[in-house]
């Protein structure tokens, strides 16, 4: 069995290949990303890792892929031209939203749903129809002639995508489905979707907005996935292809093409999954992960070995609500390519603008002239030109020094080294504040957590960040630059199906339980139909039941687990207890004398995949092993001291070896800094635990 994980970042594309069996091996590599067409970099990386592993491309059994295609489209507002057909009288739901001001007392705040709408007002057309609560009865039949007229107008306007979003369609989707049939018959090449297919839940604004998002990214995302599949086939790679989802699961190309909204956190999710897997190897269940790449830093918290899923009120992308489950990840514009500059007022700033893959940092010699975080690391002697990406990518330290001198040092009257230290101090402070927002602000005490830094730049910043947030210690994974790609190989196949089913759980009647269980059975049946299509044996399927609950009258829900089997008075009591516990954890209090209301039923269908297997290292137990030392070189640390610092080849370190700082530990995909006063201990599988020296 040969499996490949591919994670596309803003600067580099990371690839890991696992060959299981008698000749088992794990091979990793990186190639530059190709922003104009990510599939080029993906295929180039797969062919390169195959060459390194001595594997023919046709021997690959499965490819797992994490992508930022969908996210970038939303951020750049470079998606499809979308038309909308909605219930008469509700044309402006997407404009009015919730009448909330993002910043109550700011005169300059932006409302992205108004300033940069996914669907222009002129392209939101209304038709006569009406479904009524609470049972989904038809009050006004659908006027099919109006739907046809709207579709014909969209055809004249050359719309790429059309959404059908009617009021209360989560109770009865018959009108939406019929309207979709009519639109598809007139616009056979358009991307057409219904709100009940994308988000089958209560709240019309969020449902409409999520459906618009799905259509906005749909045509280009599905085209990219088809193009990727075709390019793989053209290069002799006939493997099964699976795509990483925002919820931490993987899905098929077909499902991802129909519901691309599930890919909005595809890239960062793989890193969190890989961080959890690495933490388990290292005996750490409480981990704060930070994935620092070329353009961004993605932060998440793993508590007790469990991933955190965002509260529905917080699931948004580029300021727009997205009602799909997402791992709780915060992303900021801070990475190796983040550009340092002086703003018009003369203030020293770093990011969020990035040099990206092209032209990249100044040291790449590809035309970049602005100083970046990577250039600062080079100037301070923390990245050696001859070992950058194992020598695959040549860098010029003089270009880094010139960029920093011209843009920062001279204008501020500083030395180049002082300016470089300033760049790192600013970007580290940005990241530390973001970590605290994702941990301390949510009731997490970093002093009880291990900080795990990965991505190509993660181990260069980990110890500095751990000091800033007072983390317990630091882990540098075995392959830091490939951790997100590694996460793709330890992720389960996963689908989620939802249905708004409002019921007060306290003292619910038998009739109410029967109604919920009928919905449950239908959702499980839908999941089984999808898994049948995937060819998954029945014995490998697992179903998790989740009730999204709130107090009666409360505005938003929290997740609570439903025990296996139909909902009964006994299991409802367990749901209520789980909701109380979740409420106490999130808000600091819970009222057990108040009634609990279930709003949405969610079925999560999973299929466990074969997990990545790493060999244990041979035992060493040495301190500062000389045979692993490559050479020594001047390196400047955060306190400004320039020290003669040994470079260790990470591949020559054995289990239980200790490397005392100052030291740099070098490998192909990253460099790990061990500052003075710290010691790095190699663990069984090659991960390193970095902690303060005792005594």
């Amino acid at each position: 069995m040969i499996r490949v994980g591919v994670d596309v970042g803003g600067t580099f594309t990371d690839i890991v290949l696992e060959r299981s069996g008698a000749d088992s091996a794990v091979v990793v590599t990186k190639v530059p990303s190709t922003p104009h067409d990510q599939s080029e970099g993906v295929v180039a990386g797969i062919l390169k890792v195959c060459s390194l592993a001595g594997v023919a491309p046709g021997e690959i059994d499965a490819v797992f892929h994490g992508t930022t295609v969908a996210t970038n489209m939303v951020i750049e507002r470079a998606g499809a031209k979308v038309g909308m057909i909605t219930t008469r009288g509700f044309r402006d739901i997407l404009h009015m939203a919730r009448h909330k001001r993002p910043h109550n007392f700011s005169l300059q705040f932006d409302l992205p749903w108004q300033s940069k709408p996914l669907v222009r007002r002129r392209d939101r057309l209304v038709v006569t129809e009406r479904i009524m609560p609470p049972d989904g009865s038809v009050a006004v039949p659908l006027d099919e002639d109006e739907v046809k007229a709207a579709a014909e107008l969209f055809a004249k306007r050359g719309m790429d995508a059309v959404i059908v979003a009617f009021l209360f369609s989560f109770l009865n989707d018959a009108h939406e489905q019929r309207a979709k049939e009519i639109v598809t018959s007139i616009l056979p090449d358009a991307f057409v979707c219904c709100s009940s297919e994308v988000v089958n839940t209560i709240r019309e604004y969020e449902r409409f907005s999520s459906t618009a998002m799905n259509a906005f990214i749909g045509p280009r995302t599905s085209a990219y996935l088809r193009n990727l599949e075709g390019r793989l086939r053209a290069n002799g790679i006939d493997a099964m292809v699976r795509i990483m989802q925002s919820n931490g699961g993987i899905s098929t190309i077909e499902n991802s093409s129909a519901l691309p909204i599930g890919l909005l956190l595809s890239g960062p999710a793989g890193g969190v999954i890989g961080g959890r897997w690495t933490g388990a190897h290292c005996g750490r269940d409480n981990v704060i992960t930070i994935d620092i790449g070329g353009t961004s830093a993605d932060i998440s918290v793993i508590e007790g070995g469990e991933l955190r899923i965002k509260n529905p009120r917080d699931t948004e992308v580029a300021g727009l609500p997205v009602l799909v489950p997402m791992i709780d990840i915060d992303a900021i514009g801070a990475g190796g390519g983040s550009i340092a500059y002086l703003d018009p007022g003369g203030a020293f700033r770093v990011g969020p603008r990035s040099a990206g893959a092209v032209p990249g940092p100044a040291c790449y010699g590809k035309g970049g002239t602005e100083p970046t975080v990577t250039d600062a690391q080079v100037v301070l002697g923390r990245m050696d030109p001859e070992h950058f990406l194992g020598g695959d990518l040549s860098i010029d330290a003089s270009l880094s020094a010139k960029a920093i001198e011209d843009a920062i040092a001279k204008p501020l009257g500083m030395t180049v080294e002082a300016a470089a230290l300033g760049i790192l101090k600013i970007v580290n402070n940005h990241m530390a504040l973001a970590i605290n927002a994702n941990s301390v602000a949510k009731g997490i005490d970093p002093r009880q957590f291990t900080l795990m830094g990965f991505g190509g730049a993660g181990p260069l910043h980990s110890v500095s960040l751990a000091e800033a947030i007072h983390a317990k210690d630091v882990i540098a994974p075995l392959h830091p630059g490939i951790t997100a790609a590694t996460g793709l190989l330890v992720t389960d196949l996963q689908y989620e199906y939802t249905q708004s089913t409002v019921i007060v759980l306290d003292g619910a009647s038998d009739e109410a339980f029967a109604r919920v269980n009928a919905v449950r059975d239908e959702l499980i049946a839908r999941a089984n139909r999808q898994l049948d299509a995937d060819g998954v044996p029945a014995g490998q399927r697992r179903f998790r039941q989740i009730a999204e609950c709130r107090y009666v009258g409360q505005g938003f829900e929290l997740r609570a687990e439903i025990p296996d089997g139909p909902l009964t008075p006994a299991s409802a009591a367990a749901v209520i207890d789980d909701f109380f516990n979740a409420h106490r954890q999130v808000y600091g209090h819970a009222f057990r004398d108040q009634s609990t209301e279930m709003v949405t039923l969610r079925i999560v269908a999973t299929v466990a995949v074969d997990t990545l297997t790493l060999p244990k290292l041979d035992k060493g137990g040495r301190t500062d092993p000389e045979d692993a030392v490559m050479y020594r070189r001047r390196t400047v640390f955060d306190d400004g001291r320039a020290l003669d610092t040994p470079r260790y080849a990470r591949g020559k370190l054995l289990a239980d070896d200790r490397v005392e700082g100052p030291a740099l530990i070098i490998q192909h995909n990253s460099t790990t800094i061990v500052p003075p006063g710290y010691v790095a201990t190699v663990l069984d599988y090659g991960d390193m635990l970095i902690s303060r020296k005792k005594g």
Side-chain angles (χ1 to χ4, degrees), residues 255-497:
N255 192 66
S256 298
S257 296
L259 294 171
I261 193 172
L263 305 184
L264 287 169
L265 286 186
S266 170
V272 182
I273 301 288
R276 178 177 66 172
W277 178 76
T278 300
H281 267 177
C282 300
R284 294 292 195 276
D285 289 335
N286 290 339
V287 178
I288 297 172
T289 65
I290 180 163
D291 182 354
I292 310 175
T295 57
S296 66
D298 303 317
I299 300 151
S300 190
V301 173
I302 300 164
E303 186 174 14
E306 295 294 325
L307 303 177
R308 287 198 322 197
I309 301 297
K310 281 190 175 183
N311 189 303
R313 68 166 186 265
D314 298 324
T315 54
E316 62 176 41
V317 175
L320 298 170
V322 180
L323 277 187
V324 295
M326 296 180 174
I327 295 177
D328 193 350
I329 300 172
D330 286 344
I332 63 169
S338 294
I339 293 170
Y341 63 99
L342 302 182
D343 70 13
F348 188 173
R349 300 189 181 277
V350 181
R353 192 164 58 90
S354 172
V358 180
C363 60
Y364 286 11
K366 295 182 179 179
T369 58
E370 296 178 285
T372 66
V373 173
T374 294
D375 292 309
Q377 303 280 16
V378 171
V379 163
L380 297 173
R382 303 181 182 193
M383 299 177 71
D384 297 339
E386 64 269 40
H387 289 288
F388 190 77
L389 272 187
D392 291 350
L393 182 61
S394 60
I395 60 175
D396 187 339
S398 66
L399 295 177
S400 292
K402 184 178 188 311
I404 293 175
E405 182 177 23
D406 291 347
I408 305 295
K410 277 186 177 178
L412 294 181
M414 308 170 71
T415 66
V416 171
E417 283 188 358
L421 283 170
I423 291 172
L424 296 188
K425 183 172 290 188
I426 291 170
V427 78
N428 284 339
N429 282 340
H430 287 335
M431 289 189 281
L433 288 172
I435 293 172
N436 283 334
N438 197 278
S439 56
V440 176
K442 297 179 181 180
I444 297 296
D445 184 355
R447 292 173 298 181
Q448 308 303 319
F449 281 71
T450 294
L451 180 71
M452 184 184 300
F454 49 85
L460 289 165
H461 297 265
S462 294
V463 175
S464 298
L465 293 174
E467 288 181 340
I469 67 170
H470 305 288
K472 183 168 63 174
D473 46 29
V474 171
I475 286 177
L478 173 61
H479 300 296
I482 313 292
T483 301
T486 300
L488 297 169
L489 298 186
V490 296
T491 302
D492 294 340
L493 181 67
Q494 182 167 306
Y495 298 104
E496 297 201 18
Y497 298 90

Side-chain angles (χ1 to χ4, degrees), residues 143-156:
D143 189 322
E144 297 189 3
D145 290 336
E146 291 182 1
V147 175
K148 183 180 178 182
E152 289 171 344
L153 181 56
F154 287 150
K156 290 179 182 178

Side-chain angles (χ1 to χ4, degrees), residues 28 41 144 168 179 197 219 307 331 361 379 384 391 398 411 530 593 636:
V28 301
E144 297 189 3
F168 298 112
E197 295 171 334
L307 303 177
V379 163
D384 297 339
S398 66
Q530 179 63 59
D593 59 339
V636 182

Side-chain angles (χ1 to χ4, degrees), residues 668-680:
H668 180 275
N669 56 79
S670 190
T671 295
T672 302
I673 291 181
V674 185
Y678 284 82
V679 59

